[in-house]
Amino acid sequence: MMFSRDYRWLLGLTFAMTGIVLLSNSCRADEPLNIVLLYADDWRHDTLGCAGNPVVKTPSLDQLAKEGVRFTHNNVTTSICGVSRATLLTGQWMSRHGNYGFADFKTPWAETYPVLMRENGYYTGLVGKWFTGKAKPEVFDYARIGSGGHWRKLPDGSKIHMTQQDEQNALEFLRTRPQDKPFCLSLTFSGVHAVDNDPLQYLPQPESMSLYTDVVVPTPKTAGDEFFNRLPPFIANRQNEGRNRWHWRFDTPERYQQYMKNYYRLVTEVDTVVGRVIQELEQQGVLDRTLVIFSTDNGYFHGEHGLADKWYPYEESIRVPLIVRDPRMLKKNVGTTNDALTLNVDLAPTMLAAAKIPAPKGMQGKDFSKLYLSESVPEWRQEFYYEHPTIRDKNFIPSSEAIVSKEWKYIHWPEFETEELYHLKVDPFEEHNLVSDDKYQEVRANLKQRMIEARTVVQAPVE
């Protein structure tokens, strides 16, 4: 029989009074944790109520943050779904795993976190989006891979929303899993990603359409032409996909309101499923033996700089949410925020560490649990290397690289030999490119050299 945590303390007291010892559901320090990764799509760091968003409603994720820690400077090393998902699986930068878009990655599957967990006794599941080369359902014990889009036609002719289907499959995994094994569920939502070939782009469930009807979504500070015209000129060409998609979604005030509200409706639908998954863990009595992580594959422009989607190394594109609920967490860290520079390459080694499985030598990320398990502040990275491949050709989505800290960002566009420099500490919205300012030439040169050095480390072969 399973009990909710609201009643466990009472049951423990009752059994103690009758001379029976009731073991706690909380984990022991030496016990491998169950793991649930909640991984959304096209969702940037501030698309959360708990991150101060004035419109979007995310009560389940807000509650998860209250019971855990929210990392405010979590980033992706490449802001596009296929590459980022390969990074999730391998714990490696794009340069090492070799997925430069949507093809298979080169890293052996035996060195990915789900296969390592399965080989070490875990029951593993993948529910939702794949989009990193050819799907490999056989490497999981349970695989329900979505077909993309927002709606799927069922054999009886009816339709189901992908977020709804993701919920059903995730709950089935949890309810049918073996009871004598730890488990790892990767729930990778596809529902927030736009349907690129549909003129409406964002297609929420009908029952969600009453949400956000009486609000006005604020226009971003940097949404106007003035800010678009400050970008490098090759982004302003008619072939550039970031600008093309801005026209699809945001080129009139009316369209901006319609599309952003439907986007937020999809976000709230995912948040609802997150709540139901957490509730299922609680009802099964395993929540306090489970590491729960919420993050996303890349950020998203909501019209900032006159752009839409992701790819480019600006803050809206590369910063993504990271919320962690860990039963081992020090009490003083519960309900707090942490501004350490965490990365998507850190997810795989962190989950493996929670499973008591050594990370392969080829994994480049770091176990970030030390940031909330240590009594003192541990040493941690102060900057990171960002890289993005050319998609189709340099006029469509050009390649880019950057060195990023919490204070500075240096960007290099190699195909155009163009540089940008932003002082993030005083210019968080990246309004003022300082690369030509004489006062900052030493800073520019120093950051450029550090970027080259970071690139060399990232691309170095495994020793």
Side-chain angles (χ1 to χ4, degrees), residues 388-457:
H388 197 287
T390 305
I391 303 296
R392 189 183 299 178
D393 61 62
K394 68 179 183 179
N395 294 312
F396 186 73
I397 298 173
S399 63
S400 59
E401 59 180 344
I403 192 78
V404 185
S405 70
K406 286 184 285 186
E407 182 168 5
W408 290 97
K409 180 185 295 180
Y410 170 82
I411 298 171
H412 179 226
W413 303 88
E415 291 160 314
F416 296 91
E417 281 305 323
T418 298
E419 300 170 295
E420 295 180 76
L421 176 67
Y422 296 100
H423 193 182
L424 297 178
K425 191 171 183 179
V426 298
D427 182 23
F429 299 104
E430 296 164 299
E431 301 174 65
H432 307 289
N433 180 8
L434 303 174
V435 77
S436 298
D437 192 319
D438 291 341
K439 292 186 296 184
Y440 297 102
Q441 290 312 299
E442 186 176 347
V443 172
R444 182 198 66 81
N446 180 265
L447 287 168
K448 181 177 182 179
Q449 181 59 34
R450 279 156 47 192
M451 183 194 73
I452 293 169
E453 292 170 358
R455 180 207 300 151
T456 300
V457 171

Side-chain angles (χ1 to χ4, degrees), residues 69-265:
V69 61
R70 180 170 65 87
F71 289 90
T72 60
H73 284 74
N74 186 54
N75 292 265
V76 294
T77 54
T78 303
S79 184
I80 189 170
C81 56
V83 179
S84 192
R85 288 162 192 273
T87 294
L88 165 68
L89 289 162
T90 64
Q92 298 174 338
W93 264 262
M94 175 185 73
S95 295
R96 180 165 292 181
H97 62 61
N99 178 332
Y100 287 86
F102 310 106
D104 295 333
F105 51 81
K106 298 176 183 178
T107 302
W109 270 96
E111 298 177 17
T112 63
Y113 80 84
V115 172
L116 286 164
M117 288 188 183
R118 191 179 187 188
E119 289 178 349
N120 282 273
Y122 271 72
Y123 183 72
T124 61
L126 177 79
V127 169
K129 182 173 178 175
W130 183 266
F131 227 62
T132 180
K134 184 180 179 181
K136 291 270 194 180
E138 67 272 15
V139 304
F140 298 89
D141 293 300
Y142 178 104
R144 300 292 185 272
I145 298 171
S147 57
H150 289 170
W151 291 92
R152 182 182 179 189
K153 192 172 183 179
L154 296 175
D156 63 2
S158 62
K159 293 191 301 181
I160 187 169
H161 199 274
M162 290 304 297
T163 302
Q164 198 176 8
Q165 188 167 66
D166 289 343
E167 176 189 345
Q168 292 178 3
N169 291 333
L171 294 179
E172 180 181 70
F173 170 89
L174 292 173
R175 291 167 181 170
T176 61
R177 62 182 175 83
Q179 297 297 303
D180 60 346
K181 287 185 173 185
F183 61 86
C184 175
L185 169 63
S186 301
L187 172 50
T188 61
F189 297 98
S190 60
V192 175
H193 191 292
V195 183
D196 295 337
N197 60 0
D198 191 297
L200 293 177
Q201 298 287 289
Y202 306 107
L203 309 173
Q205 300 171 52
E207 54 267 34
S208 298
M209 295 306 294
S210 60
L211 297 171
Y212 308 117
T213 56
D214 298 326
V215 300
V216 176
V217 181
T219 304
K221 177 183 179 182
T222 58
D225 286 346
E226 171 193 355
F227 299 98
F228 177 67
N229 292 332
R230 294 181 187 179
L231 296 176
F234 50 85
I235 294 181
N237 76 67
R238 292 184 179 181
Q239 295 172 278
N240 186 273
E241 191 66 356
R243 187 59 170 177
N244 287 339
R245 297 192 183 198
W246 177 87
H247 283 292
W248 296 356
R249 302 166 190 166
F250 303 140
D251 62 353
T252 68
E254 296 77 18
R255 197 195 304 268
Y256 181 82
Q257 293 299 317
Q258 176 188 356
Y259 284 42
M260 282 302 301
K261 288 179 182 180
N262 279 341
Y263 172 86
Y264 282 155
R265 288 165 182 141

